[in-house]
Amino acid sequence: DRGCPDLPARVGVWSPVFRGSASPSPMASTDSALADVIQRVFRVTLVDPGPSGSGERGSWSDLFYLESLAMELVTEGQEPPFVVTPVLLERALFARLNTASGEFPAEWQHDPELAPFPWLLASYNRCDVETRKTRSRDMAFATATSETLGNCFDMCVSYSGLVLNPATQGMFPQPAQNEQRGALQLFDALAGTGSFAELTNQWGGSLPNGFLNHFGDTLQNEGLSEILTPVLAQLPLMIKRLSPLGDTHNPLNVLVSIAMSKPCALVLASHPNWKPNGAENDARKTDGRAFEQNSIVGPFFRCAALPDDPPVVVGPNGIPMRMPLGQGDVEQAPDIRHALFTGLDKKRQNDLDGAHAAIRTNCALVREGLFQTMYALLRHGGEAREAVVGWLAMWCDENVGRSKMRIDATKTASHGGAVNVSSIAARLAAPFCDPGSLKYRKINPDYTRSIKCRLDVRETTRISASDAQVVSDALTETEEPETQFGFICECFFLTARAMHLGYVKCAAEHTSLARELQDRQRQMGDTDAMRDTWAASIPGGPNQFQMAQFERRVGEMKQELEKAHGNYQMFDATLLDPVLLGETCRFYRLVAVWLRWVGEGSLTNGGASPLASPVKGHVEIGDGTVDATTQVGGAAAAIVTGGSLLPTPVPKSWASLPEHLVDDLCEFLLYVQRFARRGPGRNAIDAEISTCLDDFVNLFVLLLGSPEYVKNPYLRAKFVEILRGWLPGDRDDRRYEYVPRFAALFEGGNATATKNLIPSLLRLYVDIEFTGGANQFYDKFNIRHQIGEMCEYLWRIESHQNAWQTLATRDETFYVRFLNMLINDAIWLLDESMKKLPELREFAGLINDTAGWMTRPEADRTEREGANRQNERALRSDLTLAKVHVGMMGYTSATIAGPFLRPEMVERVAAMLNYFLLYLAGPERKQLKFADKEKMKELAWDPGEMLGQIVDVYLNLFGNDAGGVFVAAIAADGRSYRHEVLCETVSILKSLGTRTAGDIAKFEQLAEQCRVSKNAAETEEADLGEIPDDFLDPIMCTLMTDPVLLPSGDTMDRTNIIRHLLTDETNPFTRQPLTVANLVDNETLKLEIEKWIAERKRVARE
């Protein structure tokens, strides 16, 4: 080890300490060899070289003649010639340092080692070189050389400290510029600027090898803080103007070197600019942008390849102006967008791939340097570790504005800085991201409920707790942990927050930019297309000024489009980096596993999963069993309508977790599906995702089946969107990719999904009816469409079909409610579609009459064209959704017909089928077709296909109609039932050839039975005659067959009131809450009605 030199306790009063006697005589050969080493290291000599080596003063020599020391030795009675032996080493250094710059020969005036500190640095480097090249079989000489060089190292460091320390400034003469720089000479050396530029090239780095560690170890109690504090304040200047394409190696190497030295790291951690507004009483309050600018490591994190454009506002003169991002912001060079992504329309794909590779390589070097810095600080422990955790927490709090829908770029960190922070945090969390290590059990979910939580989560939406519950569920004084939360716990929540504000937010920006790019491209195309029309609309044509204005605007639009293209490529290159995706994926796998562990109550069950044993409030779905301990209304109803796959009530520790934990997981996976799996790096991310799929699916299925755990229905809907994205495709259809790993998820490879996915999906289908959102009516269709596509695929898998049938059998109340909503949606969607088709047909007729169309006013044409485009979009959407809903009715009714035929459902089902059959096969059906077949295909409108789906439902229910209730309901539909329409349907089916002869014959049989039933019903109606008012349902005005009493005292037919309660659980007369359980049989009235019917029929027979 390099020992510390003998320095006085107080550096302010110093005198040289000479070791041993002056010089032995005669000189031993070892001393002579050591003297040569010392003189080479320090470039000093005690022999006057003279002109041309004659010994006269003033001639050039690589060694500086220490005349003052030579004269001292003569005065002391020594005999020349003299050499700098180890005994004279310190005297020689003192003599060299006390030589003013003006006393050096002319040849030395331009030497980079003229000033003391550059000379000491260069000497340290030469000492290192001598150490590496010293080879001797003489162990005594080798030992003496090692000791001497060690002493040389120590002397260089110790005297460097004296030269740089502000407390000892002026002890040794220095050139004026060096004297003025003081301790900042160390920064100049680190940056390789000024007189240090030539020196740093000699040793290939900012400082000689090992100097900084030695410097820190030696001076940690003797002025290190005073020296390093001003140096660290200047450190950001080394990288502030650099983009990842610049020379970032040296700045990052310096930062890492400082962090690697524990004494230096402690100075860094305690620096006032480590956290610029760290003190509570500090008047310099800041925001995320200022924090990034002013923090020592902030500019290092900002070095990234994502756009950081200032916002544009419209000035008072109407001219757009770019607002400055911040007082300390500077442009980074080389500009990535300009260097790599200009003229994109002329670039080949290979060029783009090369640009992406360059960005990813250089950004990876930046992130590696940042990680090594933060990791080194963590490894030092104590104050250094606390500084890292505190910095991350403060960054998250200062950048809370990045969680908003619209980011204020002037007050939040840059996108690149945010991505780098989230990436480094994820790498710090990597050691406990493997679920197999079980380290996630050290993550305490009560962290966000504790006053010891470093993050400000007061305004954070919680996963299932209301604001009032968050306050009431906070940890009490006795519940608070006695010590601070462990690093694993804090690192997890800090990383999750950093991801929320960093990578996930930037992924949302990338998605938004993709839409913006499409809009700009469409606007550019429209502008080019309207050029001639615009010119023709101006009488006499546009003048020169008008054309110039038009072309100027076109040029601006092209510039904006090119900039958007460049920004998009920068996001693409950064966020879709396979390494970055892999880090993020592994972290969110940890999130999924940990959330399931917390949700299953493992904290209170000794680590065991509660799914392994009955838990109060927990329900198993799919195997035909219901947990006997479940305390919800009714065993059968508990399966879905009141039960939960996870234990109830929801644990406080779960309820108070930030909602973004789950939401960010979903957003990341959706981003991967939309972008990463469609790019060239899809194989890498697929390999990463494939190891995590089961963990993600397990969590999503459990939360879908436990709505109390996630209060936001839109968040639960994202689970479905993700699962839908993992549908494996069709192995027999080459148009769609078939992914075996995805197929394994749903085809028996995941037990949780096999048992619980279908019931959970159908539960969300029902729950999404009322989301509380402003657009809930339209939102539900999109969500149910995704559920429908999932169900269509799962129905083909026997295990899922069995789970579906079990649910419909054991929880019929819920299933009828689901079926009612399915029918409601199908009716609305088909009805809207049927209304729009004639309007579109009418418009097609108008534009086909070219002459008549052009005679209409331009404003009228424009308005009609806009309305037609809107109708086309709406029709295409409605038809797509309707096919999914009607299709679900078709395939489920084949084996689960019972719920369709219940008294409260059969009339609605029959009325719906009759209504749309009248459209598709009735006399007005020609109004639904277009002469342009391609237009019909474009609109996704195929009348024959829709007719087939409707017929399938007819046939399925007819085949299961043992009691004839379905036939009777069809015939009783006075609004839409037409026997001739059923007969015409048979003819259409025969002409289309889309159904078998057996199906067509069966439909003919249905038509005939409906005719017979209709005649019988008319005969019975005539026999009964006028019905007494007391026997009529007060709302539907039909004869009651099963009257029931409501709590309000009103009487209704059971079928009608149950049908009402399927969509509105209130009393239709008083609007008070009402359930089926509140209904009471009116046996007296029922007997009176039955007696009256029998009497009327007897009279009719007679």
Side-chain angles (χ1 to χ4, degrees):
D1 293 335
R2 300 165 183 172
C4 182
D6 297 329
L7 295 176
R10 294 184 61 187
V11 296
V13 180
W14 188 91
S15 61
V17 180
F18 302 119
R19 298 167 179 157
S21 59
S23 179
S25 181
M27 180 180 295
S29 60
T30 298
D31 282 348
S32 177
L34 292 177
D36 289 341
V37 171
I38 293 172
Q39 292 177 160
R40 286 197 303 271
V41 167
F42 291 102
R43 292 182 64 192
V44 294
T45 181
L46 292 175
V47 177
D48 188 349
S52 303
S54 63
E56 295 183 15
R57 292 288 307 273
S59 64
W60 164 254
S61 171
D62 187 55
L63 305 181
F64 175 64
Y65 174 43
L66 299 174
E67 183 180 11
S68 62
L69 179 57
M71 293 177 63
E72 286 180 18
L73 293 176
V74 170
T75 303
E76 293 171 5
Q78 306 294 326
E79 293 291 333
F82 304 118
V83 293
V84 184
T85 62
V87 175
L88 291 175
L89 173 60
E90 193 158 12
R91 293 180 68 181
L93 263 65
F94 192 71
R96 168 66 170 83
L97 289 169
N98 272 293
T99 304
S101 59
E103 300 176 18
F104 282 79
E107 292 82 357
W108 273 82
Q109 293 301 317
H110 301 290
D111 193 293
E113 296 183 28
L114 177 65
F117 181 57
W119 169 66
L120 290 169
L121 270 186
S123 298
Y124 191 98
N125 181 64
R126 288 189 290 271
C127 190
D128 184 55
V129 172
E130 292 289 339
T131 300
R132 290 197 299 269
K133 73 179 185 181
T134 298
R135 297 288 186 272
S136 176
R137 296 182 179 179
D138 185 345
M139 294 301 298
F141 176 74
T143 301
T145 303
S146 177
E147 290 178 355
T148 299
L149 290 174
N151 199 25
C152 291
F153 279 124
D154 294 339
M155 292 288 183
C156 291
V157 169
S158 299
Y159 280 101
S160 293
L162 291 172
V163 170
L164 297 175
N165 194 336
T168 55
Q169 188 173 9
M171 174 178 286
F172 302 113
Q174 302 185 61
Q177 63 270 26
N178 296 81
E179 185 78 26
Q180 184 179 6
R181 293 295 289 170
L184 291 179
Q185 291 180 84
L186 179 57
F187 172 76
D188 296 336
L190 291 169
T193 58
S195 62
F196 295 92
E198 183 178 341
L199 293 176
T200 54
N201 289 332
Q202 294 179 12
W203 51 73
S206 56
L207 293 176
N209 179 45
F211 177 84
L212 194 60
N213 280 333
H214 198 169
F215 189 79
D217 292 340
T218 301
L219 302 177
Q220 57 182 316
N221 297 318
E222 299 182 17
L224 179 64
S225 178
E226 289 78 2
I227 296 171
L228 274 185
T229 296
V231 172
L232 294 175
Q234 299 294 311
L235 207 57
L237 297 178
M238 297 179 67
I239 201 168
K240 210 163 194 176
R241 297 181 180 275
L242 293 177
S243 76
L245 298 183
D247 184 12
T248 60
H249 174 74
N250 187 51
L252 290 167
N253 188 51
V254 168
L255 183 64
V256 173
S257 299
I258 292 173
M260 289 288 189
S261 167
K262 185 172 182 179
C264 296
L266 291 175
V267 177
L268 174 64
S270 60
H271 196 283
N273 285 353
W274 174 256
K275 295 190 299 182
N277 62 340
E280 292 184 4
N281 59 352
D282 195 337
R284 296 175 300 161
K285 295 303 179 183
T286 186
D287 51 40
R289 176 65 63 166
F291 185 83
E292 183 179 72
Q293 294 168 350
N294 300 328
S295 169
I296 291 176
V297 293
F300 287 85
F301 277 94
R302 182 174 177 256
C303 184
L306 286 177
D308 189 27
D309 300 316
V312 177
V313 298
V314 178
N317 56 357
I319 299 176
M321 300 186 303
R322 292 199 177 277
M323 301 297 293
L325 286 173
Q327 187 175 1
D329 260 331
V330 293
E331 293 186 2
Q332 296 175 322
D335 183 274
I336 292 177
R337 186 167 52 224
H338 183 266
L340 299 177
F341 299 122
T342 54
L344 286 171
D345 54 335
K346 300 178 182 178
K347 288 186 181 292
R348 298 172 299 176
Q349 186 59 46
N350 287 342
D351 297 330
L352 287 177
D353 292 343
H356 286 192
I359 286 176
R360 290 169 183 174
T361 300
N362 286 281
C363 287
L365 293 176
V366 173
R367 290 197 299 270
E368 182 63 26
L370 292 171
F371 170 72
Q372 292 296 340
T373 298
M374 305 303 264
Y375 183 65
L377 291 171
L378 284 175
R379 285 181 61 88
H380 294 319
E383 295 178 12
R385 170 178 286 195
E386 173 66 21
V388 173
V389 178
W391 189 92
L392 289 172
M394 180 165 284
W395 185 92
C396 292
D397 286 345
E398 297 294 343
N399 285 286
V400 68
R402 288 187 58 84
S403 63
K404 297 179 180 179
M405 187 71 70
R406 295 181 64 87
I407 298 176
D408 184 351
T410 64
K411 296 182 179 179
T412 57
S414 61
H415 289 321
V419 167
N420 282 340
V421 169
S422 60
S423 173
I424 301 313
R427 289 190 64 180
L428 295 177
F432 57 88
C433 278
D434 180 11
S437 69
L438 301 181
K439 291 182 180 179
Y440 62 84
R441 294 185 177 183
K442 296 182 180 180
I443 304 170
N444 192 335
D446 287 331
Y447 182 73
T448 54
R449 299 170 59 211
S450 171
I451 59 174
K452 296 180 180 179
C453 175
R454 293 179 187 266
L455 295 168
D456 184 357
V457 293
R458 289 172 296 179
E459 303 299 323
T460 302
T461 303
R462 306 308 174 97
I463 195 167
S464 64
S466 64
D467 292 341
Q469 288 174 320
V470 170
V471 174
S472 62
D473 290 347
L475 293 181
T476 63
E477 186 175 350
T478 57
E479 292 173 328
E480 285 284 353
E482 295 181 0
T483 59
Q484 289 290 341
F485 292 91
F487 173 74
I488 289 179
C489 178
E490 291 201 298
C491 185
F492 172 81
F493 283 100
L494 289 172
T495 302
R497 189 70 165 172
M499 282 289 183
H500 177 61
L501 303 172
Y503 188 94
V504 175
K505 184 60 180 179
C506 287
E509 292 291 308
H510 191 193
T511 304
S512 177
L513 183 58
R515 290 192 292 265
E516 177 190 337
L517 192 56
Q518 291 177 344
D519 292 340
R520 289 188 180 277
Q521 288 172 327
R522 184 169 54 253
Q523 291 172 2
M524 192 72 244
D526 293 343
T527 302
D528 285 338
M530 69 174 285
R531 184 187 300 267
D532 294 337
T533 304
W534 169 77
S537 67
I538 299 177
N543 57 36
Q544 186 175 2
F545 175 76
Q546 290 172 324
M547 282 301 301
Q549 288 288 91
F550 183 87
E551 294 300 336
R552 181 184 63 81
R553 180 53 189 151
V554 170
E556 291 174 350
M557 292 177 65
K558 287 182 178 179
Q559 289 179 356
E560 293 167 356
L561 178 60
E562 183 174 10
K563 179 181 176 181
H565 266 297
N567 287 348
Y568 183 85
Q569 291 297 330
M570 292 166 73
F571 274 105
D572 227 31
T574 301
L575 299 185
L576 299 185
D577 182 349
V579 175
L580 208 56
L581 285 168
E583 293 171 356
T584 309
C585 184
R586 288 188 287 276
F587 175 73
Y588 279 116
R589 181 191 188 188
L590 169 68
V591 172
V593 172
W594 180 77
L595 284 173
R596 183 185 181 190
W597 180 71
V598 175
E600 290 178 346
S602 299
L603 284 171
T604 56
N605 286 277
S609 170
L611 297 181
S613 58
V615 176
K616 183 177 180 179
H618 169 69
V619 180
E620 291 284 356
I621 300 176
D623 60 355
T625 63
V626 180
D627 188 351
T629 63
T630 302
Q631 296 191 355
V632 287
I639 293 180
V640 173
T641 55
S644 172
L645 293 178
L646 292 172
T648 54
V650 179
K652 294 179 180 179
S653 56
W654 170 280
S656 295
L657 289 173
E659 186 183 74
H660 70 74
L661 275 174
V662 182
D663 194 30
D664 291 345
L665 165 61
C666 294
E667 288 297 325
F668 169 70
L669 293 176
L670 289 172
Y671 179 71
V672 168
Q673 291 179 356
R674 295 166 183 163
F675 288 86
R677 293 202 70 249
R678 299 179 183 179
R682 60 167 301 169
N683 292 335
I685 189 59
D686 276 355
E688 194 72 54
I689 287 285
S690 65
T691 62
C692 314
L693 279 176
D694 286 303
D695 296 314
F696 293 144
V697 170
N698 288 337
L699 177 68
F700 294 155
V701 172
L702 290 175
L703 293 183
L704 278 172
S706 309
E708 299 88 352
Y709 278 71
V710 180
K711 66 181 180 182
N712 185 349
Y714 292 107
L715 180 52
R716 292 169 61 207
K718 289 181 182 180
F719 304 158
V720 179
E721 187 175 358
I722 294 168
L723 293 172
R724 173 174 167 266
W726 287 335
L727 292 181
D730 191 339
R731 70 180 77 197
D732 299 323
D733 191 339
R734 294 184 178 180
R735 294 177 302 170
Y736 305 100
E737 179 191 21
Y738 179 75
V739 184
R741 180 65 182 93
F742 292 170
L745 282 176
F746 306 108
E747 297 177 9
N750 185 290
T752 302
T754 299
K755 180 181 291 186
N756 302 314
L757 181 53
I758 281 293
S760 298
L761 288 172
L762 298 189
R763 173 156 195 174
L764 178 60
Y765 190 102
V766 172
D767 291 347
I768 209 69
E769 179 75 15
F770 303 106
T771 63
N775 299 316
Q776 67 175 14
F777 180 77
Y778 297 100
D779 290 340
K780 71 177 183 181
F781 290 118
N782 295 324
I783 297 169
R784 286 173 174 173
H785 173 246
Q786 295 171 0
I787 295 174
E789 289 191 329
M790 282 287 298
C791 290
E792 183 178 358
Y793 166 76
L794 295 174
W795 181 262
R796 292 177 284 177
I797 302 169
E798 184 179 0
S799 57
H800 290 288
Q801 189 175 141
N802 291 338
W804 197 320
Q805 292 173 340
T806 300
L807 171 65
T809 302
R810 297 189 62 86
D811 196 358
E812 199 168 286
T813 301
F814 164 79
Y815 194 79
V816 169
R817 189 179 179 200
F818 153 73
L819 194 59
N820 182 67
M821 293 181 179
L822 177 67
I823 294 172
N824 286 344
D825 286 357
I827 291 174
W828 191 89
L829 292 167
L830 283 174
D831 197 34
E832 288 294 302
S833 301
M834 298 303 138
K835 291 176 181 177
K836 289 183 178 68
L837 283 167
E839 296 177 14
L840 292 173
R841 178 184 169 89
E842 178 186 357
F843 179 81
L846 289 175
I847 61 173
N848 286 337
D849 180 10
T850 307
W853 176 251
M854 296 307 296
T855 60
R856 292 177 175 271
E858 182 179 356
D860 180 59
R861 294 200 307 270
T862 302
E863 182 180 354
R864 286 177 178 269
E865 287 171 347
N868 186 71
R869 285 193 296 270
Q870 184 175 352
N871 278 341
E872 286 183 352
R873 287 194 297 268
L875 176 64
R876 193 180 298 110
S877 174
D878 290 345
L879 284 174
T880 302
L881 298 173
K883 288 176 184 178
V884 171
H885 287 72
V886 177
M888 189 185 297
M889 294 173 62
Y891 58 74
T892 57
S893 61
T895 55
I896 311 177
F900 288 89
L901 302 176
R902 286 175 61 95
E904 62 269 26
M905 291 300 303
V906 67
E907 292 182 5
R908 291 204 68 224
V909 173
M912 182 200 82
L913 296 174
N914 289 344
Y915 179 71
F916 292 113
L917 190 68
L918 184 61
Y919 265 111
L920 296 168
E924 302 297 326
R925 66 179 184 274
K926 293 183 180 180
Q927 297 296 321
L928 306 180
K929 294 184 178 181
F930 293 82
D932 186 352
K933 301 300 180 184
E934 289 300 319
K935 189 65 175 179
M936 293 178 64
K937 186 176 181 181
E938 178 188 335
L939 295 172
W941 171 231
D942 185 345
E945 179 187 12
M946 183 61 67
L947 178 65
Q949 287 185 314
I950 296 291
V951 167
D952 286 344
V953 180
Y954 270 114
L955 294 178
N956 290 338
L957 297 181
F958 178 57
N960 289 278
D961 185 24
V965 293
F966 180 57
V967 170
I970 293 174
D973 176 21
R975 179 187 180 190
S976 304
Y977 170 71
R978 306 286 190 278
H979 176 67
E980 59 274 15
V981 172
L982 294 179
C983 294
E984 184 62 22
T985 301
V986 173
S987 300
I988 295 174
L989 292 175
K990 289 179 179 178
S991 64
L992 291 175
T994 56
R995 292 297 180 272
T996 65
D999 285 343
I1000 295 175
K1002 187 177 178 181
F1003 196 84
E1004 287 181 307
Q1005 182 182 359
L1006 169 64
E1008 177 59 24
Q1009 289 193 18
C1010 289
R1011 185 189 65 80
V1012 173
S1013 178
K1014 176 67 173 177
N1015 293 337
E1018 290 176 348
T1019 300
E1020 182 176 1
E1021 184 179 358
D1023 291 344
L1024 293 179
E1026 186 176 353
I1027 303 173
D1029 291 343
D1030 292 343
F1031 296 169
L1032 290 173
D1033 183 276
I1035 292 180
M1036 301 302 296
C1037 294
T1038 55
L1039 178 64
M1040 293 185 288
T1041 57
D1042 188 7
V1044 292
L1045 281 169
L1046 279 60
S1048 60
D1050 300 286
T1051 299
M1052 286 188 65
D1053 191 70
R1054 182 185 300 276
T1055 298
N1056 293 334
I1057 186 59
I1058 291 179
R1059 186 184 302 128
H1060 165 78
L1061 293 177
L1062 289 175
T1063 54
D1064 185 1
E1065 292 189 329
T1066 62
N1067 189 316
F1069 301 100
T1070 64
R1071 309 310 300 167
Q1072 295 299 310
L1074 180 67
T1075 65
V1076 175
N1078 301 134
L1079 304 179
V1080 178
D1081 293 338
N1082 193 336
E1083 294 290 348
T1084 303
L1085 182 58
K1086 183 177 181 180
L1087 290 174
E1088 291 179 5
I1089 293 173
E1090 290 175 349
K1091 182 178 180 181
W1092 176 82
I1093 292 174
E1095 176 61 23
R1096 296 301 297 171
K1097 287 184 177 181
R1098 183 187 65 76
V1099 171
R1101 285 196 302 271
E1102 295 177 352

